[in-house]
Amino acid sequence: MNKPNRFAWLAGGDAQCVNPPDPPPGAPWRLVLLGAPGVGKGTQAELLCDRLHACHLSTGDILRAAGDPGRCNRSPALEAALQSMREGKLVPDATILELVGERGRCLRCCGGWVLDGFPRTVAQAEALQALLDREGVGLDSVFNYELPISEIVTRLGGRRVCTECKAVYHVTRQPPKQPGICDRCGKRLRRREDDRPEAIRTRMRIYEENTGPLLEYYGKKGLLVSIPAHGNPNEIYARTWICGRSVHAGITPPEGAANAASEAGGSAPEPRAQPS
Ligand code: AP5
């Protein structure tokens, strides 16, 4: 089965997805992934979506698509957002909420979805809840990936992304077969503008300022599940899958379940071959 190309999410407006997902046999999964910049949310979102045939809804990807050279008609608000992003700062809530709000139909996607990078503030989380209510869909769970900052900085420093299909690699830990070239589409890989050391520092500071209140918000709603993000992507995926399956079956994973399950070699269906 071909991957949904996410046109409706990336381009907004009237854009239609090529290969929209088919409804899954059971209820679709709807997840939010939280965690520091570079912890591996995008990598896990891709693995999950490949398995579930769900859609990877990343607000960072909307902004990067809008910033692609050749895209014209950028509003002053969007230009300002792209500048904030380059500097590692958060884009104002109003801009992000406008972008997500006009893509509300993606939240009704019959294949389900994994939200990555949104919400990032309590105001965004409240707005997401209002949007979900408006669209008549629920949120299954919020997975928070946890890893020491020093390890995350190593991941970010080696990240390379495809200029065309946005696949993510790491120069040593998830290298492409041919250096600098995307395995998936053959286009060039590049470093993200916000992966420069000063932008990384800003992103980490802002993350630490916002994360406590956001975790508290979802903790109070009983939706928050912590997932240790050490190990390779497939090990983290196995933990995520096990938590996702129990949440989906209506069972709250007990504290530490994610770790225990993968240490014990818990069963997760094959993710696709790396790199993501
Ligand atoms: P966004 O695109 O959301 O970026 P981010 O949250 O900073 O997260 P990253 O994409 O950097 O990291 P990731 O956790 O997805 O890690 P990845 O899987 O790539 O946002 C970018 C910017 O847009 C923000 O700074 C802000 O300006 C703006 N923005 C977006 N949404 C916004 C919002 N809602 N509100 C306001 N502003 C918003 O992995 C990282 C690297 O590690 C890769 O090289 C990967 O190959 C490697 N890797 C992954 N897993 C492993 C592993 N297990 N072991 C070793 N290496 C690994």
Side-chain angles (χ1 to χ4, degrees), residues 233-257:
N234 285 349
E235 289 166 342
I236 303 163
Y237 166 76
R239 287 175 209 134
T240 307
W241 182 261
I242 285 159
C243 287
R245 227 181 26 190
S246 34
V247 165
H248 213 62
I251 306 160
T252 308
E255 190 88 355

Side-chain angles (χ1 to χ4, degrees), residues 38 41-43 59 64 89 117 120 124 159 169 174 203 231:
K41 302 178 296 295
T43 302
T59 40
R64 283 182 286 278
K89 296 177 185 156
R120 265 180 155 88
Q124 291 184 14
R159 173 163 60 190
Y169 299 85
Q174 288 183 282
R203 287 159 69 199

Side-chain angles (χ1 to χ4, degrees), residues 45-62:
E46 284 285 298
L47 292 170
L48 282 166
C49 289
D50 278 2
R51 169 68 199 171
L52 298 165
H53 302 293
C55 221
H56 176 189
L57 305 182
S58 153
T59 40
D61 283 348
I62 298 179

Side-chain angles (χ1 to χ4, degrees), residues 29-35 39 41 44 48 52 114-115 139-146 215 218 223-227 236-237 239-248 253 258:
W29 290 27
R30 299 188 183 106
L31 300 171
V32 163
L33 305 189
L34 300 182
V39 73
K41 302 178 296 295
Q44 293 305 315
L48 282 166
L52 298 165
V114 178
L115 266 172
L139 173 60
D140 294 322
S141 199
V142 176
F143 291 163
N144 181 43
Y145 291 100
E146 295 180 335
L215 297 184
Y218 281 122
L223 288 172
L224 191 68
V225 178
S226 295
I227 302 190
I236 303 163
Y237 166 76
R239 287 175 209 134
T240 307
W241 182 261
I242 285 159
C243 287
R245 227 181 26 190
S246 34
V247 165
H248 213 62

Side-chain angles (χ1 to χ4, degrees), residues 27-226:
W29 290 27
R30 299 188 183 106
L31 300 171
V32 163
L33 305 189
L34 300 182
V39 73
K41 302 178 296 295
T43 302
Q44 293 305 315
E46 284 285 298
L47 292 170
L48 282 166
C49 289
D50 278 2
R51 169 68 199 171
L52 298 165
H53 302 293
C55 221
H56 176 189
L57 305 182
S58 153
T59 40
D61 283 348
I62 298 179
L63 293 164
R64 283 182 286 278
D68 274 349
R71 283 289 295 271
C72 44
N73 297 333
R74 287 198 281 263
S75 67
L78 195 50
E79 286 292 354
L82 294 172
Q83 184 53 31
S84 298
M85 190 179 177
R86 278 179 217 114
E87 292 168 11
K89 296 177 185 156
L90 284 191
V91 169
D93 284 345
T95 310
I96 288 291
L97 294 179
E98 193 182 328
L99 292 171
V100 175
E102 71 187 26
R103 290 161 171 80
R105 65 193 164 118
C106 292
L107 297 173
R108 276 185 274 115
C109 184
C110 65
W113 39 259
V114 178
L115 266 172
D116 160 19
F118 178 85
R120 265 180 155 88
T121 61
V122 172
Q124 291 184 14
E126 287 166 345
L128 172 63
Q129 188 55 55
L131 256 178
L132 293 173
D133 292 345
R134 187 186 84 186
E135 301 296 336
V137 293
L139 173 60
D140 294 322
S141 199
V142 176
F143 291 163
N144 181 43
Y145 291 100
E146 295 180 335
L147 194 71
I149 296 286
S150 55
E151 170 67 7
I152 294 177
V153 170
T154 309
R155 289 186 184 178
L156 280 178
R159 173 163 60 190
R160 298 294 180 270
V161 291
C162 175
T163 47
E164 180 70 20
C165 75
K166 318 297 177 208
V168 177
Y169 299 85
H170 189 279
V171 286
T172 55
R173 296 172 180 195
Q174 288 183 282
K177 293 191 184 94
Q178 196 184 337
I181 303 294
C182 180
D183 292 346
R184 220 190 259 174
C185 71
K187 291 284 172 8
R188 293 190 66 78
L189 303 182
R190 66 169 170 77
R191 184 188 273 252
R192 258 171 52 173
E193 283 186 89
D194 57 352
D195 282 347
R196 288 169 295 105
E198 10 14 306
I200 291 177
R201 275 194 293 278
T202 306
R203 287 159 69 199
M204 292 301 175
R205 178 178 53 74
I206 291 174
Y207 168 74
E208 286 183 341
E209 283 165 13
N210 285 290
T211 192
L214 196 54
L215 297 184
E216 196 181 339
Y217 175 88
Y218 281 122
K220 280 189 184 148
K221 283 181 170 275
L223 288 172
L224 191 68
V225 178
S226 295

